[in-house]
Amino acid sequence: MANLPFSATSAQSMSISHSKFILGFMGFNRTTHNPELFLIRTPRSSYSRRKLSVKNVASNQKQKLKDSVTQKEGIAGDLGTFIPDSASIASSIKYHAEFTPSFSTEKFELPKAYFATAESVRDTLIINWNATYDYYEKMNVKQAYYLSMEYLQGRALLNAIGNLELSGAYAEALRKLGHDLEDVARQEPDAALGNGGLGRLASCFLDSLATLNYPAWGYGLRYKYGLFKQHITKDGQEEVAENWLEMGNPWEIVRNDVSYPVKFYGEVTSGADGSKQWIGGENVVALAYDVPIPGYKTKTTINLRLWSTKLAPEEFDLRAFNAGDHAKAYAAMKNAEKICYILYPGDESLEGKTLRLKQQYTLCSASLQDIIARFERRSGEPVKWENFPEKVAVQMNDTHPTLCIPELIRILMDVKGLSWKEAWDITRRTVAYTNHTVLPEALEKWSLELMQELLPRHVEIIRRIDEELVHTIISEYGTEDLDMLKQKLKQMRILDNVELPDSIAELLFKSEENSAVDPAEEVESSVEENKPTAEEDESVGLDTENKKEVTVDEAPKMPKVVHMANLCVAGGYAVNGVAEIHSEIVKSEVFNEFYKLWPEKFQNKTNGVTPRRWIRFCNPDLSKIITKWIGTEDWVVDTEKLVTLRKFADNEELQSEWREAKRRNKIKVASFLKEKTGYFVDPDAMFDVQVKRIHEYKRQLLNIMGIVYRYKKMKEMSPEERKIKFVPRVCIFGGKAFATYVQAKRIVKFIADVGVTVNHDPEIGDLLKVVFVPDYNVSVAEVLIPGSELSQHISTAGMEASGTSNMKFAMNGCIQIGTLDGANVEIRQEVGEDNFFLFGAQAHEIAGLRKERTEGKFVPDPRFEEVKAFVRSGAFGPYNYEELMGSLEGNEGYGRADYFLVGKDFPSYIECQEKVDEAYRDQKRWTKMSILNTAGSFKFSSDRTIHEYARDIWGIEPVVLA
């Protein structure tokens, strides 16, 4: 605990020191400018509003210094002339502790120290932030906009000061104030804006965009309660609301002057000129909260803009409130605010589905209104809308932001007055789509009825897009083979189980008639002569008289749905997968018909992770070793330099240093596990880790079944036999099961129960421990990954799009056991086949294996049957695991037949684990494998991925601030 006595004199001194700190970053020369005068004349709150000009590389320095003090230019200067020392940083921290109070003034305890430190860092970021965007405005550069429903940011403090190269100075400043930097940093809660790899990828991308000086923004939602905070109890997983905003967030700045209306429900009216207006309904306001994202060793600081929803004051029912009907008065307010309460609210109910759709539309509408306003401001008058795609690239991170497509068209047509043809052309040249899954349930489909009620104007636009798509398909394939055409329409249409537009129904009806007439007559009634196109006939689909309805093999009572992924492909100019094998599956299976139609749209962009957060900052011991042996720290921004480690992989000195660094990290993990779970683990045991979202296809069930088999075999042996046969292991799990995903929650419960039994078995002791780490997040990963020795990436082949945790583990020298799935394929290629433990069926075999199962031909391995019987015996407590074990049995049926092939891959998996034990016993071999994993991870930096997006998809160039 530290006390900071503040007097009037010390307060004045702190204000002056803080001004020097700020002015130094703003380029003011300490000897020629009087900070005391500046403090008097310019309120501190105006710092961030001051205009900053940026030095041109070719400009004359003396002239620039002269310009910087002219009234015309305002405050300006060289952003790189001032590096704060620990004394000025300490003064800045003390200033914020006194004058930006979030806590009582008596004491300077850790929470207060964290906030004051973060606000001090934020001052620096704001200066770079403003300079970055002043320059982008001035240069009117093309900018990429990344829209994602989630961002898994992690803690910001250590990452920010690391990127600013101020870690040492801040550590020293806090020591002077009585605190340790790491203790202060631990006070920061993880931002509850994401859940899994989708959100973490988005955050890695923002870090790389800033580091590489690309002009870009991120857009998302500001979730008040996040997904949930996970507790592990005797009943398994329990969920409680996140409280990350309870004490405030020092990294965000609310922009009270940046808000946009967002509408739901209502009706669409038509003007005499054919224009459309969406009126009435429910109106909310999306308010902007901005978070600075600093680059590494660069002044570029980009923006993550998060939207929070509220009710406009004029919408509040004051009459109802004053009449005592408070519930009615509050209803609209709560309806508005709850849009940003929870990430992925449960969608089992109609209310849950409606809320999710509202979230997605809020993200798209507010973001696009903001993007368009910026384009108009930068363009000046008159606005040339045809240039919009030359200045704007919108990237949809998965299907959640799909409504960007109809929303952009709506704004361009209904608000800006463009024609359909113009709006459709602009949209198709602006929006791009990243696919992250091959799972059918994750390729979103929305009820047309729900969307019609909630977003009536957008349904009109989607119907029009669907009609354009159908015309394109018919134009490409003709109407000679109607059966083939109907199959293509069934697979490619955006609207499923929905009648065809009238113009197309008439066309197909004529084709059916023509197919029955004499060939000579067929020539006279050419279909092509009568086929209208969307460009020729703006009223296509409006004339409903005398038309015969034609449908595409639809079941009469099947629900009418909107295929969001199909809308993404039809409405975007680029579609990319996120690993080589995934991109091939996207082309050959998921969107095969679209690929045949538009092969030029499809690309691969293998995911990557930022080496700053995922090795440089979270694993400083290993980073120092890498820098020593490579001879430069440039690998942090140029990971190809990691390849240099290969030539030292057999060096005994390097191996010794490498093992020592790993052991120090394992000791940290052991301490962390004791703190979080109460379990003691031996740091000399192998640390075997599987941490990721809990899902059946990720096969945590295969892992724990393998552990049960290991435990059972141990119990059947004498103590001497156990020690000879088995390498001591600590098996660590972490990850959240979605609150309504019952089977995933059963798996969490099963893992926890196995842990309770194994960890309290005195016969086994330290030979085997099983630990489930609660509430897995980025900060937990930053502890576990550096200390991990084996990581499990064991999804059913062909079902994991990429994975990014596998890249983080490889970067930290962790050896992997896995299937040929997602990025595992490329990781294995780069680290070497001998340095990756491979098992299991391959992607091209999966369909055949499932068919074999359905036909009753699968014969389970006796060892697998032995494990299931052991579980059913009650060895792990009284809980009834019949539903879980039953899902691995049978040949067909929902929740049966082992769809994810746990039983099929089980023999291969346990035999591969025996090879892991054998390799671990030879520590020299294991250490070499570890070094080669780090060396081979060079390809998996998000910097490389972002360079490829910028070059191949967005068409943007780096913009470097002087």
Side-chain angles (χ1 to χ4, degrees):
M1 185 183 299
N3 294 305
L4 293 179
F6 296 121
S7 64
T9 304
S10 65
Q12 182 182 15
S13 174
M14 281 187 295
S15 295
I16 294 169
S17 297
H18 180 70
S19 299
K20 291 178 179 178
F21 176 80
I22 295 294
L23 292 171
F25 271 107
M26 297 177 76
F28 275 69
N29 186 305
R30 288 177 160 186
T31 61
T32 59
H33 295 85
N34 186 341
E36 295 181 60
L37 289 176
F38 181 80
L39 183 66
I40 294 168
R41 294 174 60 189
T42 307
R44 181 178 159 275
S45 60
S46 71
Y47 293 168
S48 63
R49 296 198 300 268
R50 289 281 183 162
K51 181 179 179 182
L52 293 169
S53 64
V54 181
K55 179 171 72 68
N56 187 292
V57 175
S59 68
N60 180 277
Q61 180 62 34
K62 291 182 180 179
Q63 183 62 42
K64 186 61 182 177
L65 182 60
K66 179 180 177 181
D67 291 344
S68 71
V69 294
T70 64
Q71 187 174 3
K72 179 179 179 181
E73 291 293 321
I75 298 172
D78 180 357
L79 291 171
T81 59
F82 176 72
I83 300 176
D85 57 20
S86 61
S88 63
I89 288 173
S91 294
S92 175
I93 293 171
K94 288 193 288 184
Y95 175 89
H96 281 292
E98 177 72 2
F99 294 108
T100 318
S102 299
F103 299 85
S104 57
T105 59
E106 292 83 8
K107 295 176 181 177
F108 189 62
E109 295 179 316
L110 281 170
K112 185 173 184 177
Y114 160 66
F115 268 80
T117 302
E119 286 155 348
S120 168
V121 176
R122 193 183 70 178
D123 286 342
T124 305
L125 298 183
I126 286 173
I127 294 164
N128 293 344
W129 199 12
N130 290 343
T132 299
Y133 283 97
D134 281 349
Y135 194 55
Y136 291 172
E137 290 279 330
K138 177 182 177 182
M139 301 302 294
N140 192 17
V141 296
K142 183 174 185 180
Q143 197 162 319
Y145 297 97
Y146 198 81
L147 271 65
S148 179
M149 282 298 287
E150 53 174 301
Y151 291 88
L152 202 58
Q153 291 287 93
R155 292 169 175 159
L157 179 58
L158 294 181
N159 191 75
I161 62 176
N163 279 357
L164 291 168
E165 301 180 89
L166 294 175
S167 300
Y170 267 92
E172 186 178 344
L174 284 167
R175 277 196 296 272
K176 291 177 180 178
L177 299 176
H179 288 300
D180 178 79
L181 173 59
E182 290 196 3
D183 291 338
V184 170
R186 277 194 287 269
Q187 302 304 305
E188 180 178 2
D190 276 39
L193 299 171
N195 175 39
L198 186 77
R200 186 52 238 172
L201 178 76
S203 297
C204 284
F205 278 7
L206 293 185
D207 178 88
S208 289
L209 284 163
T211 296
L212 301 173
N213 302 297
Y214 282 113
W217 269 23
Y219 282 105
L221 297 182
R222 181 180 180 265
Y223 303 106
K224 185 174 182 179
Y225 301 116
L227 183 73
F228 57 81
K229 184 174 288 186
Q230 181 194 54
H231 293 164
I232 302 299
T233 71
K234 62 181 178 60
D235 297 316
Q237 172 181 293
E238 293 185 0
E239 306 90 20
V240 298
E242 284 274 11
N243 61 351
W244 73 290
L245 290 173
E246 195 69 16
M247 303 295 288
N249 178 11
W251 302 105
E252 68 182 13
I253 296 178
V254 59
R255 304 295 192 188
N256 288 307
D257 59 334
V258 181
S259 63
Y260 297 98
V262 179
K263 181 185 291 294
F264 305 105
Y265 304 108
E267 60 180 343
V268 181
T269 62
S270 299
D273 59 354
S275 63
K276 298 292 185 76
Q277 289 297 318
W278 183 16
I279 60 173
E282 177 184 300
N283 299 290
V284 304
V285 173
L287 179 66
Y289 285 76
D290 286 353
V291 180
I293 308 294
Y296 178 72
K297 291 188 176 182
T298 175
K299 297 299 177 183
T300 297
T301 302
I302 65 171
N303 193 39
L304 171 59
R305 176 158 285 179
L306 303 170
W307 301 108
S308 184
T309 45
K310 65 176 186 177
L311 187 70
E314 60 270 19
E315 298 286 336
F316 182 72
D317 193 341
L318 187 61
R319 179 176 296 178
F321 188 87
N322 285 331
D325 193 350
H326 298 164
K328 180 182 177 183
Y330 279 128
M333 184 171 66
K334 291 302 179 186
N335 273 337
E337 292 176 354
K338 73 180 182 181
I339 291 172
C340 292
Y341 274 177
I342 300 291
L343 169 64
Y344 303 141
D347 60 355
E348 300 295 311
S349 64
L350 176 61
E351 291 79 7
K353 290 180 173 68
T354 302
L355 185 56
R356 280 212 191 188
L357 193 55
K358 281 185 172 183
Q359 287 184 331
Q360 295 186 6
Y361 179 62
T362 298
L363 170 64
C364 296
S365 181
S367 302
L368 283 170
Q369 290 181 71
D370 196 45
I371 291 166
I372 288 170
R374 188 171 303 108
F375 171 76
E376 290 180 303
R377 184 177 67 248
R378 292 181 182 180
S379 297
E381 294 291 345
V383 177
K384 295 183 179 180
W385 290 104
E386 65 271 19
N387 293 339
F388 189 77
E390 307 305 317
K391 295 297 182 181
V392 172
V394 175
Q395 187 70 40
M396 301 182 295
N397 192 29
D398 217 350
T399 53
H400 307 126
T402 304
L403 288 168
C404 278
I405 294 168
E407 175 67 359
L408 180 54
I409 293 172
R410 182 193 71 83
I411 295 172
L412 292 176
M413 291 182 69
D414 300 358
V415 181
K416 304 304 176 182
L418 276 64
S419 69
W420 165 264
K421 184 177 180 181
E422 291 170 322
W424 179 227
D425 176 67
I426 289 168
T427 300
R428 285 185 299 170
R429 294 190 293 124
T430 300
V431 179
Y433 162 53
T434 299
N435 173 272
H436 282 280
T437 185
V438 299
L439 296 179
E441 66 268 24
L443 292 171
E444 289 187 300
K445 302 178 187 69
W446 284 104
S447 160
L448 181 63
E449 181 182 1
L450 171 60
M451 192 174 287
Q452 176 71 57
E453 182 183 10
L454 192 69
L455 303 169
R457 177 61 177 132
H458 297 76
V459 168
E460 289 186 351
I461 293 168
I462 291 169
R463 286 183 182 275
R464 186 68 180 273
I465 296 171
D466 183 61
E467 186 172 340
E468 291 276 355
L469 175 61
V470 172
H471 274 296
T472 301
I473 294 167
I474 293 174
S475 177
E476 179 71 18
Y477 297 106
T479 57
E480 289 78 16
D481 187 343
L482 285 178
D483 288 337
M484 180 270 289
L485 180 61
K486 288 179 179 180
Q487 283 301 314
K488 288 189 179 294
L489 292 176
K490 181 69 176 174
Q491 293 176 44
M492 300 175 71
R493 281 193 68 191
I494 296 162
L495 300 175
D496 196 15
N497 303 316
V498 176
E499 64 277 3
L500 285 163
D502 293 319
S503 61
I504 297 162
E506 180 183 32
L507 179 66
L508 295 184
F509 178 59
K510 287 183 178 180
S511 296
E512 286 181 329
E513 287 181 333
N514 291 338
S515 66
V517 301
D518 185 272
E521 297 177 7
E522 188 173 310
V523 174
E524 296 176 5
S525 56
S526 169
V527 171
E528 290 301 317
E529 292 178 4
N530 293 288
K531 182 178 71 178
T533 66
E535 286 79 6
E536 293 168 348
D537 185 1
E538 288 279 323
S539 63
V540 163
L542 298 179
D543 181 9
T544 58
E545 295 182 11
N546 303 315
K547 309 289 186 187
K548 178 174 179 179
E549 181 174 295
V550 178
T551 58
V552 184
D553 297 333
E554 65 169 299
K557 294 185 180 180
M558 292 293 286
K560 297 178 179 182
V561 297
V562 183
H563 285 269
M564 304 304 271
N566 288 5
L567 178 55
C568 286
V569 179
Y573 66 90
V575 179
N576 71 278
V578 291
E580 288 178 1
I581 186 173
H582 170 240
S583 294
E584 288 305 311
I585 292 172
V586 164
K587 291 189 291 186
S588 63
E589 297 178 25
V590 182
F591 299 123
N592 181 246
E593 294 298 338
F594 285 103
Y595 176 65
K596 292 175 184 175
L597 183 62
W598 294 309
E600 71 282 355
K601 282 191 180 187
F602 290 81
Q603 303 183 25
N604 174 59
K605 295 288 173 278
T606 298
N607 285 343
V609 300
T610 169
R612 271 75 61 185
R613 181 179 290 271
W614 291 114
I615 183 166
R616 174 64 183 82
F617 301 147
C618 78
N619 198 345
D621 287 348
L622 188 62
S623 296
K624 289 173 185 174
I625 293 169
I626 292 170
T627 298
K628 171 186 170 181
W629 286 85
I630 290 178
T632 176
E633 201 180 38
D634 290 350
W635 60 269
V636 179
V637 289
D638 181 7
T639 51
E640 288 196 8
K641 287 183 164 52
L642 291 173
V643 175
T644 306
L645 290 170
R646 287 175 177 165
K647 66 183 181 182
F648 302 117
D650 288 307
N651 185 285
E652 291 185 4
E653 182 183 352
L654 172 58
Q655 287 201 0
S656 176
E657 293 175 5
W658 201 271
R659 280 193 294 271
E660 183 55 35
K662 180 64 74 174
R663 193 173 193 283
R664 285 194 296 270
N665 286 323
K666 289 173 69 178
I667 290 171
K668 292 178 184 177
V669 172
S671 175
F672 176 82
L673 295 180
K674 176 64 175 69
E675 175 190 346
K676 294 296 182 182
T677 70
Y679 289 130
F680 289 94
V681 300
D682 181 3
D684 290 323
M686 180 201 298
F687 281 17
D688 172 352
V689 180
Q690 187 181 19
V691 283
K692 52 185 75 227
R693 180 166 52 94
I694 309 297
H695 197 290
E696 288 170 277
Y697 88 84
K698 292 180 183 287
R699 298 203 296 189
Q700 287 90 351
L701 185 55
L702 174 60
N703 186 351
I704 193 63
M705 295 287 276
I707 291 169
V708 169
Y709 178 77
R710 188 182 188 90
Y711 174 64
K712 185 174 186 297
K713 294 296 113 179
M714 285 181 174
K715 293 289 287 181
E716 293 169 357
M717 295 178 181
S718 68
E720 294 75 17
E721 289 173 323
R722 289 183 202 125
K723 290 182 180 179
I724 294 171
K725 175 70 174 175
F726 295 105
V727 166
R729 284 207 200 193
V730 177
C731 300
I732 302 170
F733 292 83
K736 296 179 180 180
F738 190 64
T740 58
Y741 189 175
V742 176
Q743 191 74 328
K745 293 178 76 170
R746 288 189 184 117
I747 293 169
V748 173
K749 165 70 173 164
F750 184 32
I751 294 168
D753 283 353
V754 171
V756 169
T757 299
V758 171
N759 299 344
H760 292 92
D761 190 331
E763 292 183 3
I764 302 303
D766 287 337
L767 264 182
L768 183 63
K769 297 291 184 185
V770 180
V771 183
F772 194 104
V773 181
D775 206 37
Y776 179 68
N777 57 23
V778 172
S779 295
V780 174
E782 289 171 338
V783 176
L784 295 182
I785 291 174
S788 301
E789 293 173 290
L790 180 74
S791 65
Q792 304 217 23
H793 305 276
I794 57 178
S795 52
T796 310
M799 302 198 76
E800 183 75 86
S802 170
T804 52
S805 63
N806 44 10
M807 301 171 184
K808 296 162 198 158
F809 280 102
M811 205 170 269
N812 284 271
C814 183
I815 299 155
Q816 303 189 35
I817 180 171
T819 52
L820 281 179
D821 195 26
N824 284 1
V825 178
E826 293 158 79
I827 289 173
R828 182 169 176 261
Q829 290 171 353
E830 298 300 336
V831 305
E833 294 181 6
D834 292 339
N835 305 305
F836 185 104
F837 294 102
L838 178 67
F839 76 95
Q842 297 187 28
H844 67 273
E845 301 173 309
I846 300 302
L849 291 170
R850 286 178 178 147
K851 184 173 184 290
E852 178 184 284
R853 181 80 184 225
T854 302
E855 294 170 350
K857 297 177 182 178
F858 172 70
V859 179
D861 187 277
R863 293 167 292 185
F864 188 60
E865 296 299 288
E866 182 183 343
V867 170
K868 288 190 295 177
F870 189 49
V871 173
R872 282 175 164 136
S873 73
F876 302 105
Y879 185 83
N880 184 355
Y881 282 107
E882 188 55 40
E883 288 288 341
L884 191 59
M885 295 298 104
S887 71
L888 305 173
E889 298 174 336
N891 297 325
E892 57 185 354
Y894 180 77
R896 302 279 291 176
D898 194 12
Y899 183 78
F900 300 99
L901 304 182
V902 173
K904 174 64 181 178
D905 280 350
F906 184 79
S908 175
Y909 176 70
I910 60 173
E911 288 158 13
C912 193
Q913 286 284 15
E914 292 173 0
K915 295 177 183 176
V916 171
D917 277 5
E918 180 185 351
Y920 194 77
R921 288 189 182 95
D922 184 350
Q923 279 294 292
K924 183 174 181 180
R925 175 191 170 192
W926 188 270
T927 306
K928 178 180 179 179
M929 293 171 72
S930 175
I931 294 168
L932 291 173
N933 265 264
T934 297
S937 69
F938 73 93
K939 179 181 175 181
F940 305 105
S941 165
S942 51
D943 295 352
R944 170 202 52 79
T945 314
I946 285 300
H947 274 312
E948 293 179 2
Y949 272 95
R951 179 192 66 210
D952 302 336
I953 298 180
W954 302 331
I956 60 174
E957 298 287 340
V959 178
V960 181
L961 279 70

